[in-house]
Amino acid sequence: MKRGMVALGVSLAATTLALVGTQGRGAEKGPQFLRDVAPILDKKGCSTAGCHGKFGGRGGFQLSLLTLTPADDYDPIVRGARGRRVNTVEPEKSLLLLKATGVMGHAGGSRFAVGSPEWKTMRDWIAAGASFSYENDPRLARLTITPSQFTLTRVGQKLPLKVVASFTDGIVRDVTAQASYETNDPAVFDVDGNGIVTGKRWGGTSVVVRYLGEVQAVNLSLPRAEKTVFPKLTPANIIDTYVYKNLQRMNVVPSRRTTDSEFLRRISLDLCGELPDPTEIVAFVSDKTTDKRAKLIDKLLDSPEYVEMRALRLGDLLRIHPNHFGNNIFGDRQTVLFSEWVKDAVRTNMPQDQFVKGLLMARGSTFREAPTNFWRVDNTPEDRMETVAQAFLGQRMACARCHKHPFDRWTTDDYWNLTAFMGKVGIGGGRLDGENTIYENPDGRVINQSVTGRRRGKEAPPTLLGAAGPSQSAKERAFAEFVDWTTSRNNPFFARATVNRLWGNYLGRGVVHPVDDMRATTPASVPGLLEALSKDFTEHNFDIKRITKLILNSNTYQTSSEVNETNSLDNQFFSHFYPRPMLGQVLLDSINQATGTAERFGDFPAEMKAAHLSLPVGSYFMDTFGRSHREFLANLEPKIEPTLVQTLHVLNSPYIDNKVRYGQTLQPLLNDKNTKTEKIIQDLYLKTFGRTPTDKEKATATAAFTAPNAKRDEVAQDLLWALISAREFYFVS
């Protein structure tokens, strides 16, 4: 037997799975399932979602998705299949080999050839008995990727990655050829199956490396090659320090600063959800004081409109909607109650940790204790856990419900063990019709319901995300421990997630993007920035207004959306402002404001704005232009590009036509026959774009008014309609 194992070891050494270093407890003894067979199944695509890795598998054969839990794959391969899938007497006749080589019909085609190193490894493993021991076989202890980050110097340059696996028995092996690779941005970097990275254009991204269930990322960047004289820039605050340093490293020059009128329109829409008034624009532009922008930010943050706008964002995040509370008069009552609690929290600038604690620790009647309605939005412990993780920790855990997360470290045990805390919150009926009571349930249990995990069907022990072991608190204290950890200064996720989401609200994308998917394999676009902002946020007691002021007072936020010759391809480094469409509610309010019209929303007062509604109302316009229906957390923003339906609605609908024709914007101008054409043009540009027209725009509009047979009223209506249909109006830019 020993001679046979030595022979197998010699055979293995001849394959591409060669040992590159041996340390610790002796040399390898021959092909083993985890170390040799499982990587082949992953590398050759057998475990993809389109093949045996999909739920239910294919042809009665199921593997873990992307071999993310390789130890779980042994049973489907071997048990109950000896003699067919795995034939230890005649290894070459094993279905595992016959189908993978295409000798027998296989929907996936040939994955490797007879006699190939992969074939020999799997044959030798089967011939040796196809053994595997959960307790005794060596496992992956550490995966080391070299380099872990790198800056290429030119397009076309190639960078070979080296992946080394260290196993629990002391064996160290170069597994570069066996690992799987994927680039997060194929337009910037390409990577082949051997880990060779090629720079395609300037930019930055990461390459995800996967081996035996371990997932890591290599952060890569490629600066612009063209010679550029980077200007001397004075940072307004710590944000600019990090952004400018990174831009200089990438050889990218930031765009010019916004003009006063551009800044006023942007900040008014972002903080208050409304356009600035023309008189306000003229006064702000003519103001020569150096601190006028900072003063304006302070003024708007103290306004009732800011409270409404921030509450709208939080309402979307918390998905406050009658559908979750019964979708009847009682649901409306709870929606309004919950919405008003959120508005009060914004009005008083409640610290973010206290805000989240107020939600998570809310107990009592959903009719009397407003934040208890947070627990009504989702109906199961797992859904509630996913909401808390995504909304407050920036972690999308849904993938790990059934299998290990393909691009993060979270396993099914992590998912269900964190969910176990949610089982400690109970919901029962109340005394009144439609009322519920939220209460502490220390004895609540959650069962692991993963698809392939080894703990499937067992009780999940409450375990904090990333903790080494289960919570040791008494069961009466377990949920409180979870809440304390969630909002702690030492929580590695909470402050970063909050700041990143705020940054995304005002800058158009997160430092880590998407803002609620802050996984280890997605690098921050500006190194060090998120850490610096998070530190400031925690040191100042999670003050939302303060961190918002820091963001808005930065030169980075106040940079123009107009690109220059160096930054036209930048979509992540914040060298220019990224235009984004208004929320549907804000766009409707802006059109009403620009045309001088108003509309009644249900039973709300006539002066109520769409962005201030505490209950949903039917509106084809808002549905068409992108308001959150508060169903899914990942669907909070409108689409970035206008759709055909949106375009047709603005250009052809009687709804918009009536606003243009009969609104109070044009009537005063047109009724006075002495109103000069120049004033009409200027007023309309101020009302819509928040600026005066350029010379070219003024000349074009004037030509339309003075054309033969031109009718003054019709030209004015056409001009207003054209302005509210323009991209510049539709976007915050």
Side-chain angles (χ1 to χ4, degrees), residues 427-463:
I427 181 169
R431 296 180 179 180
L432 303 176
D433 188 16
E435 181 185 33
N436 287 103
T437 301
I438 308 301
Y439 62 92
E440 203 81 16
N441 183 25
D443 295 317
R445 300 164 64 242
V446 168
I447 302 301
N448 186 313
Q449 300 174 46
S450 59
V451 173
T452 59
R454 295 189 65 204
R455 291 193 55 82
R456 180 183 181 185
K458 299 179 180 179
E459 181 178 348
T463 309

Side-chain angles (χ1 to χ4, degrees), residues 334 336-342 359 362 365-374:
Q334 288 160 273
V336 173
L337 186 69
F338 197 0
S339 297
E340 290 303 315
W341 181 84
V342 170
L359 295 170
S365 167
T366 54
F367 280 2
R368 294 190 298 272
E369 303 297 331
T372 57
N373 288 285
F374 172 80

Side-chain angles (χ1 to χ4, degrees), residues 627-669:
R627 60 172 168 176
S628 171
H629 291 286
R630 300 183 173 182
E631 294 179 7
F632 307 106
L633 263 179
N635 188 23
L636 300 182
E637 301 288 344
K639 295 179 180 178
I640 191 64
E641 291 294 337
T643 65
L644 179 60
V645 175
Q646 292 173 346
T647 303
L648 292 175
H649 188 64
V650 171
L651 294 179
N652 296 327
S653 71
Y655 178 79
I656 299 296
D657 184 30
N658 289 332
K659 289 181 180 296
V660 171
R661 286 179 183 274
Y662 307 115
Q664 292 303 306
T665 292
L666 287 181
Q667 294 307 315
L669 294 173

Side-chain angles (χ1 to χ4, degrees), residues 256-270 274-288 292-293 296 300 557-561 682 685-694 697 728 731-733:
R256 62 170 176 82
R257 195 176 190 232
T258 53
T259 63
D260 285 341
S261 58
E262 289 171 339
F263 170 77
L264 178 59
R265 186 178 192 271
R266 181 187 299 175
I267 200 73
S268 298
L269 286 169
D270 273 349
E274 59 184 35
L275 297 168
D277 185 84
T279 56
E280 183 184 1
I281 298 170
V282 173
F284 187 75
V285 171
S286 61
D287 186 352
K288 302 305 179 184
K292 64 181 182 181
R293 294 192 180 194
L296 177 64
L300 296 184
Y557 174 80
Q558 297 182 27
T559 298
S560 171
S561 60
Q682 177 164 302
Y685 268 86
L686 287 172
K687 272 274 190 180
T688 54
F689 292 174
R691 61 172 175 82
T692 56
T694 64
E697 291 168 337
E728 184 174 344
F731 277 74
V732 180
S733 60

Side-chain angles (χ1 to χ4, degrees), residues 27 86 121 202 242 244 313 421 501 721:
V86 173
T121 297
W202 77 266
Y242 283 95
Y244 289 168
R313 286 286 192 175
F421 288 108
R501 188 180 290 276
W721 203 331

